[in-house]
Amino acid sequence: SGINGPVNTIYNFGKDFYIGGEFTIAGGIASQNIARWDGTNWTAPGSGTDRTVLSITSDAANAYITGEFDNAGGKKAVKMAAWSGLRPYIASQTQDTTVALGSPFVISVYIRGSQPMTIEWYKDGKKITANKKMIFIDSMKYSDGGRYVMTASNASGSVVSDTIDLKPGLPAPQICAVTVDTVTGTNRIIWNKNVTYPVSKYRVYQEIGKDLYVLIGEKHQNQLTVFTDSFADPSVQSYSYKISAVDSTDKYESNLD
């Protein structure tokens, strides 16, 4: 059914598009010179203006409208009006990540939309806190790992963040030396044992292509951190290795730094 008059301006805020002009109908909905399209439906944001709208813009919380009107939303507003009916949307948020045990971290979601706004956080489906845009973790623990979701709502609508999968991680062990075993003529890899974090075992990886590593063996925490690569022949070519640590629950493995 379209718009029954001229459109002077189009403004995007999140998933919503606002149009302003000189019309009384938008998509079959009565709309006094301003209307909102959410990708599916037209709605009238408030009672509109008594005359033409020329421009629409906004900051993070309010819309600002200019035009030839004397009244907006049923109140006196000569040629300019502010409107606090913007639905919340998520401009940016923390992505899935692994945080080293003992490290600080902030989970954040940047919300735009009109105030007042109610914010709630959920971890693994259970509500944990409200009215905070960020969750501060002073020192990462196993119990901090989980799937976080934030919801935000105001009088005009609501939005749900993408799930943020936060995993506790271990620092990658550092290789001390790669030497040639004088008896077998193969490579021996030696690394520092991690005594700060609860480690069950170490995994040894060999590079088989640029930034491509395959697992070639494991050593448990109670063993010497020395591994012999019996298939390597250093007289023919050189080899690169990396070591990872696996935590005591066997659920988390450090990155191959």
Side-chain angles (χ1 to χ4, degrees):
S1 55
I3 315 299
N4 71 339
V7 173
N8 297 323
T9 183
I10 301 175
Y11 183 73
N12 172 232
F13 187 87
K15 295 182 179 180
D16 294 332
F17 286 86
Y18 293 85
I19 64 169
E22 190 174 356
F23 52 84
T24 57
I25 299 290
I29 303 298
S31 305
Q32 284 296 122
N33 303 314
I34 186 168
R36 175 172 58 204
W37 170 252
D38 64 5
T40 304
N41 298 304
W42 286 101
T43 55
S47 58
T49 63
D50 62 347
R51 294 180 64 192
T52 303
V53 171
L54 296 176
S55 71
I56 305 171
T57 188
S58 79
D59 55 20
N62 298 302
Y64 300 95
I65 304 161
T66 64
E68 299 173 354
F69 50 83
D70 295 312
N71 291 275
K75 296 181 180 180
K76 185 75 171 179
V78 180
K79 301 187 184 306
M80 180 178 291
W83 180 63
S84 59
L86 296 174
R87 294 194 283 207
Y89 85 92
I90 295 171
S92 63
Q93 68 167 76
T94 298
Q95 301 300 306
D96 296 350
T97 190
T98 299
V99 180
L101 290 168
S103 298
F105 192 73
V106 177
I107 308 172
S108 64
V109 177
Y110 176 47
I111 299 286
R112 301 186 71 190
S114 295
Q115 300 295 329
M117 190 181 297
T118 299
I119 294 174
E120 295 179 335
W121 280 95
Y122 296 82
K123 177 175 178 285
D124 297 328
K126 296 181 180 180
K127 184 178 175 180
I128 55 174
T129 187
N131 288 332
K132 292 183 179 180
K133 294 182 179 180
M134 301 179 184
I135 294 178
F136 294 90
I137 297 173
D138 294 328
S139 179
M140 184 69 180
K141 303 181 293 296
Y142 284 115
S143 59
D144 293 319
R147 296 168 65 81
Y148 292 79
V149 173
M150 193 204 74
T151 66
S153 60
N154 62 16
S156 299
S158 62
V159 68
V160 180
S161 75
D162 292 336
T163 299
I164 301 167
D165 192 0
L166 191 66
K167 296 180 180 179
L170 297 168
Q174 298 299 307
I175 294 176
C176 297
V178 177
T179 63
V180 177
D181 190 304
T182 56
V183 177
T184 63
T186 57
N187 283 340
R188 298 177 70 204
I189 305 99
I190 305 168
W191 64 93
N192 287 324
K193 182 174 288 191
N194 190 329
V195 295
T196 304
Y197 301 98
V199 173
S200 66
K201 58 189 172 186
Y202 301 93
R203 289 175 175 163
V204 183
Y205 293 83
Q206 183 194 90
E207 187 177 32
I208 60 171
K210 182 174 174 57
D211 297 325
L212 180 62
Y213 288 81
V214 295
L215 178 66
I216 60 172
E218 294 183 344
K219 284 283 185 175
H220 287 276
Q221 175 75 334
N222 59 0
Q223 295 177 299
L224 290 175
T225 52
V226 178
F227 180 83
T228 299
D229 183 1
S230 57
F231 294 100
D233 187 352
S235 66
V236 176
Q237 69 176 75
S238 61
Y239 296 84
S240 294
Y241 301 92
K242 287 189 176 183
I243 310 294
S244 73
V246 180
D247 82 304
S248 57
T249 68
D250 282 340
K251 291 172 59 178
Y252 303 107
E253 181 178 3
S254 65
N255 295 326
L256 295 179
D257 294 336

